[in-house]
Amino acid sequence: SSSSRVSPLRWPLCTTAAAAMSSSAPASSAAREEVSKRRRSASTSASVPPAEHAQPPKRRRTSKTVDVDEHLATIEEPTNSSSSSSSSKQENAAESAAHNFQKTGGVSGVLARIVDHHRCPITQQLLVDPVVAEDGHIYERKALEMWLMTKQSSPTTNKPMGPNMLPAHAARQTVSELIEEGMLDAATTLGFFADRGRLRAMRTTTPGPDLHGAQTDIRRSLELAQTPSQRSASEFLLEIISWMQVGSSLFQRSQKLQSEVHGICLGQDFQTWVLEVGDAARAVVTWPLLKECQMPEWRELPKGTRVKVVDDASELHKLCERPPAGAEAKVGWNAEMLGFAGKICTVQRVGESSHRNYILRRESPPTGRDFSFPYDACFLLSK
């Protein structure tokens, strides 16, 4: 048909083109394979170069370009300088601390300051029975009680202060350890043992005097004594403590004899009689000393003067119920005044000349109320 007939003019052209395409196909495929091989070879050689031929990429330097090594150097320099400065400051601080430590006396200087902080602000003596007052400072108990008998202010700050106090256990332990470890001088150690020994022997609160501890302390003070007077005082205290130990053993025996001798002491309970003997023994011991302290006349006494009231309660009652020599009127009696018999008190003020009396306050807590006593019922302890 006419649609499928090829024009004689176009046929040779079509045939020639087909032949050309057919003849050039193998050559073209071979060329592509060669190009592909070269590309793969170049890629392999670029990704794994030999070590001796590896070179860093070149960079074009400009005025704003900074070399990496130079930049690292500028970072390290301040760090090294800062480290050196810090080390130098630490060395200087250490040298300064060592210098100050030597300047203040080293260990001995520190120890001296610790000891000073454990002295009573009132007595300036090493603490033996320390207490914390309301002002937060630490004092010797007896000294603070004496202070508060006549004042209502802090011994340290001079500000108003009440009478409350608490035991300072840490301070007591610190002082005891310094003494026991031999950290203090002989004179201070001797004074501490003597004071603590007397305190232990005079303890009146439960469970009573610690005679064994007192004897141990006084013996140690005797070992440290350097003068004849110090040795004599320590020996005398040991004799007193030994006498107290003998008396204590006698009173303990009385408990065993109670059932055996019941009713033979003038119809009196034997144990009660022994207790009365104890009171009489105190009078026997103290009377020679008190006789010298008895006040022969009424006179002005400054506030805080220490006096001792007559021991015998019946005698005290009698003295208060009659006008003393030179007075116009009696002081009078109150049942609470019985608690003052035999007690050490401080004068709060001088009474009236018409009564020739003193207003007294007990030292031993609880102090309670102040009471008036005639002068001849008092023994003057401090002048």
Side-chain angles (χ1 to χ4, degrees), residues 135-374:
D135 62 355
H137 293 277
I138 299 178
Y139 304 90
E140 185 66 26
R141 181 189 295 274
K142 189 67 174 178
L144 183 59
E145 289 175 352
M146 291 286 296
W147 176 278
L148 294 175
M149 293 291 290
T150 58
K151 301 178 180 65
Q152 297 180 343
S153 60
S154 164
T156 302
T157 65
N158 204 32
K159 295 180 179 179
M161 185 179 76
N164 298 317
M165 58 187 76
L166 294 172
H169 298 295
R172 182 199 298 267
Q173 182 177 359
T174 298
V175 174
S176 297
E177 289 180 354
L178 290 174
I179 292 291
E180 297 296 341
E181 294 297 328
M183 303 294 289
L184 304 183
D185 61 272
T188 303
T189 304
L190 184 152
F192 175 83
F193 282 131
D195 290 342
R196 191 173 70 174
R198 287 194 294 266
L199 182 66
R200 286 176 165 177
M202 295 186 301
R203 187 174 65 188
T204 56
T205 57
T206 305
D210 177 13
L211 297 180
H212 177 72
Q215 189 176 54
T216 300
D217 282 344
I218 301 303
R219 283 176 176 171
R220 297 178 73 172
S221 70
L222 179 60
E223 295 173 356
L224 295 168
Q226 298 179 352
T227 64
S229 60
Q230 290 175 343
R231 285 190 290 271
S232 297
S234 297
E235 291 170 353
F236 176 76
L237 290 174
L238 284 175
E239 290 180 14
I240 293 294
I241 293 171
S242 297
W243 173 76
M244 294 176 67
Q245 289 174 328
V246 172
S248 175
S249 63
L250 287 174
F251 281 85
Q252 289 175 0
R253 285 175 56 190
S254 71
Q255 296 178 349
K256 298 179 181 179
L257 294 173
Q258 172 67 23
S259 58
E260 300 177 10
V261 297
H262 180 69
I264 68 172
C265 295
L266 303 176
Q268 194 178 35
D269 181 82
F270 183 71
Q271 195 170 24
T272 302
W273 178 81
V274 171
L275 293 176
E276 292 180 352
V277 169
D279 293 335
R282 182 177 62 177
V284 169
V285 172
T286 60
W287 177 249
L289 177 62
L290 291 176
K291 189 175 181 179
E292 297 180 0
C293 301
Q294 191 171 18
M295 297 187 64
E297 60 182 0
W298 181 75
R299 58 190 176 91
E300 291 287 333
L301 292 178
K303 183 178 181 179
T305 301
R306 301 179 74 218
V307 298
K308 187 177 187 297
V309 180
V310 172
D311 286 335
D312 188 86
S314 60
E315 182 183 359
L316 179 61
H317 184 199
K318 185 188 301 183
L319 292 173
C320 293
E321 286 293 346
R322 61 97 176 100
E328 301 174 0
K330 65 180 182 179
V331 170
W333 179 255
N334 185 304
E336 294 183 44
M337 296 170 68
L338 185 63
F340 282 72
K343 300 298 182 181
I344 297 178
C345 306
T346 55
V347 175
Q348 299 303 299
R349 71 176 188 273
V350 178
E352 301 294 332
S353 60
S354 59
H355 292 74
R356 294 184 177 258
N357 60 327
Y358 300 105
I359 311 303
L360 304 183
R361 180 179 297 175
R362 287 181 298 180
E363 285 188 359
S364 301
T367 57
R369 295 170 56 190
D370 299 343
F371 283 97
S372 172
F373 293 89

Side-chain angles (χ1 to χ4, degrees), residues 24-243:
S24 63
S28 220
S29 175
R32 283 196 300 271
E33 289 181 4
E34 184 66 21
V35 171
S36 180
K37 286 182 180 179
R38 290 182 180 181
R39 287 178 177 175
R40 286 196 299 271
S41 178
S43 175
T44 303
S45 63
S47 61
V48 189
E52 62 272 19
H53 297 295
Q55 296 292 334
K58 293 184 178 180
R59 296 180 299 163
R60 189 178 68 178
R61 295 178 62 89
T62 66
S63 59
K64 296 184 179 180
T65 303
V66 180
D67 187 81
V68 174
D69 295 334
E70 294 176 359
H71 180 62
L72 291 176
T74 60
I75 296 176
E76 292 174 357
E77 285 180 2
T79 304
N80 293 337
S81 175
S82 175
S83 177
S84 300
S85 176
S86 176
S87 176
S88 177
K89 288 181 179 178
Q90 291 177 355
E91 291 176 359
N92 292 337
E95 291 177 1
S96 177
H99 175 72
N100 292 334
F101 186 69
Q102 295 175 355
K103 185 177 179 181
T104 56
V107 175
S108 60
V110 173
L111 185 60
R113 289 193 293 277
I114 293 175
V115 173
D116 288 340
H117 292 158
H118 288 79
R119 293 186 185 276
C120 175
I122 301 173
T123 65
Q124 297 303 314
Q125 299 297 317
L126 202 61
L127 295 167
V128 177
D129 186 16
V131 292
V132 181
E134 290 186 9
D135 62 355
H137 293 277
I138 299 178
Y139 304 90
E140 185 66 26
R141 181 189 295 274
K142 189 67 174 178
L144 183 59
E145 289 175 352
M146 291 286 296
W147 176 278
L148 294 175
M149 293 291 290
T150 58
K151 301 178 180 65
Q152 297 180 343
S153 60
S154 164
T156 302
T157 65
N158 204 32
K159 295 180 179 179
M161 185 179 76
N164 298 317
M165 58 187 76
L166 294 172
H169 298 295
R172 182 199 298 267
Q173 182 177 359
T174 298
V175 174
S176 297
E177 289 180 354
L178 290 174
I179 292 291
E180 297 296 341
E181 294 297 328
M183 303 294 289
L184 304 183
D185 61 272
T188 303
T189 304
L190 184 152
F192 175 83
F193 282 131
D195 290 342
R196 191 173 70 174
R198 287 194 294 266
L199 182 66
R200 286 176 165 177
M202 295 186 301
R203 187 174 65 188
T204 56
T205 57
T206 305
D210 177 13
L211 297 180
H212 177 72
Q215 189 176 54
T216 300
D217 282 344
I218 301 303
R219 283 176 176 171
R220 297 178 73 172
S221 70
L222 179 60
E223 295 173 356
L224 295 168
Q226 298 179 352
T227 64
S229 60
Q230 290 175 343
R231 285 190 290 271
S232 297
S234 297
E235 291 170 353
F236 176 76
L237 290 174
L238 284 175
E239 290 180 14
I240 293 294
I241 293 171
S242 297
W243 173 76

